[in-house]
Amino acid sequence: MSAKLLARGLWMWWLPVGLVTFWWFASLGTNSFFFPPLNRIVSVTIRDLSSGLLLNHLRVSLINMLAGLAISGVIGVGLGLIIGGSRALREATGPFLNFVRAIPPAAIVPIIIVAMGVGPQPKVFLIVFACVWPILLNTIDGVRGMNPQMLEMAQAFRIPFGLRNRRILFMGALPQIMAGMRIALAVSLVLMVISEFVGASAGLGFYIREKKEAFAMAEAWGGTLLTGLLGYLMSALFLRFERWALHWHFQTPEPGKAAS
Amino acid sequence: MRGFIVIRQVGVFLGVLVLWAVGDALSLFNRDIIPSPLAVLEAAGVLFGRPELWPTLWFTLRDSLVGVAIAAALGIPVGLLIGIFPKVELSTRIVLDFGRAFPAIALVPVFVLVFGTSHTSKIMLIAIACFFPVVIQTIYGARRLEPTILDTVNSFRIPALMRYRRVVLPAALPYIATGVKLSLSISILVAVGAEILMQVPGIGAQINLARTYNEVPVAIVLTLYAGIMGVALSQLWDWVEGRMLAWHHREGGL
Amino acid sequence: MNAMTTIPSAPPMQVRNLSKSYGYSQILKGIDLDVRPGEILAIVGPSGVGKTTLLRSLSGLTGLTAGSVSIGGKVVNGPAPEIGLVFQDYRGSLMPWMRTLENVAFPLEGKGMPKARREELALKCLADVGLEAAARKYPWELSGGMQQRVSIARALAYDAHILLMDEPFGSLDAQTRMVLEDLVIALQRRLGISVILVTHDIDEAIYMSDRVVVLNGRPAQVVDLVEVPLGREREQIATKSDPRFVEARNRVMREIMGG
């Protein structure tokens, strides 16, 4: 392995590894109730993971998140392509959409949970309600930022509406759409956590709350950290996926493209 | 045709209102989630009469702004350091990636246990959540210098500190401004979320209260207020940014 | 070698009294043109006079303020199926997420043609412009000149009989330009299409075309229609040293600079 690669690896990893190691050893002997030693946090988390308990919660949370994201994606991209493709629609809906996206999704959590009860539906609904906006707005922006010559080409060759949307608008806006999905990913995690805190019978958020109410500090910390890890892994995976799907985009310096 | 556009924009709002009213009249909606427009209007009126409304709005606003201020005070220097020095960027990359993917709201139970339900924990939460957008935008801005400017600066052998202060920082300012704007929007969302979960004074706590008393229209009105607040903050910031960064917009960017 | 006498496949195009204004400013006034089947017609004029506006009006992308455009006797409103457009900025009109073959076949997909047939046709058109080896490549893997050839192939695949080209070789270097000029001439001779070419390069205009339309004035009008007396055989060096070439060029230049 080349020395350069090694040096780079060292630079990238010294801080995270160092921080964790420091935390581990600094907390080893503590009796603090609120900040249990890291090794204990890790051991109880592993315990709950291997017993299948945490895995189950993880699974429930993941399924809800992915379902919510998928639905948001379909609605957000579908609507976004139509609105983005028409200048009149875009300008007319602008202020309205900007207002609705500023509404804190957390605010409607109490209402939804009470009205729809405990279970996957309210959670998925909340996630969709929150995640549809970044996807929708980014899709609109993506279409708007496309090179106008490409749209003229579609007009000149009389490309029908559906084909134009699918193969031109969607693909041209894809880099922006991906950016929107990245945001939606983070948002879905937040909403999942909040909705599970407030009213749930399963899921990571529920686990954390349950442990907190039982004053099981190490487990509560463990669940929190696991949530963070989940977010990190999902966004890292998504970045890989994005790079693959947009390989053609990273090659072209498109000079005619409008800034987005 | 500016007026034409505004008419259509207002039309969209009115259209939604009409759909809402019609849907309600046809009993299409679950009244526990979407009350009738009249009930919401009525609730808005009632709320205005209640003295505890205004301090509530202020609490949310104040804590959001403090949180953003802290996030910016910490985030901008950190972002500049990372953007300017490649070694720093490499070192902090993984930690930053982890931090930005971490849902700050997940810290609420732990914070509540450790720091209690005070508005200090709320502000800390907001600051943590808003820290990352500021840092990331600042990094972006600090790195985004045109090669020709860098070449010019280097060829004249301008000393480092002066280079950072007079070239890098001004070039990064528009992106820093975007970062702060993002934080402002996020801060309201996090503030309300924290208030709902921790029952700290603010819009979120009022929403919870309204829900407990089954006053769904009141809760809806409060939700809309939060949205308006978010939009207003963004617009206000745009205006401030426009005045301060007039040169950027004139030149069309650096 | 005699030029082939292909029967032109292109219908005639008639432009009558075409005028185009944007708001209160009139760009084009009273343009009358007859595009003969199988001819190469160049449109020249000073910078900003409205050459592109005229081409866009002919292509149907921009509406007319007055007048009419007819193809084969029928008035057209909007992009006609007989017309193929080649843009100046090939990077803006070729889709980077599709391979070359898909790009060329795309207008056929728009017509509803099944996959096997359209790819076969697209391949044939790529071969016509000498690029069948690039079929599986992405546009950004090709040079500027090659990308422009793909653009031409796409218009051909669409079964365009009238090729409209807006400064197609403007962003290319001189050698590539010469190769592509000859390519377009060869395609015209072989397929019998008509070509309407907007260019700021007067040499190119005269070298390639059978007639040159000179636009000038504000609003722009046709100030001259020059018949290029060079026959149907063109060669880069021989033709450009022909005295009649120089004469025609000087005449056009005078009209552009004098106006």
Side-chain angles (χ1 to χ4, degrees), chain A residues 149-150 152 158 167 171, chain C residues 56 79 89 92 97-98 109:
Chain A
Q149 290 224 317
M150 208 158 296
E152 285 190 344
R158 292 149 47 113
R167 301 286 295 277
M171 294 303 296
Chain C
R56 289 174 62 94
D89 184 9
W97 52 85
M98 289 188 189
E109 197 176 335

Side-chain angles (χ1 to χ4, degrees), chain C residues 93-112:
Chain C
S93 71
L94 289 178
M95 293 176 279
W97 52 85
M98 289 188 189
R99 296 178 200 269
T100 301
L101 189 67
E102 290 172 291
N103 262 293
V104 174
F106 189 65
L108 298 173
E109 197 176 335
K111 280 193 191 174

Side-chain angles (χ1 to χ4, degrees), chain A residues 146-147 149-160 163-164 166-169 171-173 247-249 251-256, chain C residues 56 60-61 79-81 83-85 87-98 102 106-107 109-111 138 140 154-155 158:
Chain A
M146 277 187 71
N147 192 328
Q149 290 224 317
M150 208 158 296
L151 301 175
E152 285 190 344
M153 182 270 297
Q155 200 188 344
F157 285 113
R158 292 149 47 113
I159 307 288
L163 191 67
R164 164 179 165 263
R166 258 188 305 126
R167 301 286 295 277
I168 303 185
L169 292 189
M171 294 303 296
H247 68 103
W248 49 267
H249 176 68
Q251 299 283 2
T252 34
E254 289 194 44
Chain C
R56 289 174 62 94
L61 282 182
I83 290 192
L85 205 43
F87 297 81
Q88 175 181 20
D89 184 9
Y90 41 81
R91 277 168 301 193
S93 71
L94 289 178
M95 293 176 279
W97 52 85
M98 289 188 189
E102 290 172 291
F106 189 65
E109 197 176 335
K111 280 193 191 174
Y138 285 98
W140 35 268
R154 177 174 62 185
Y158 184 61

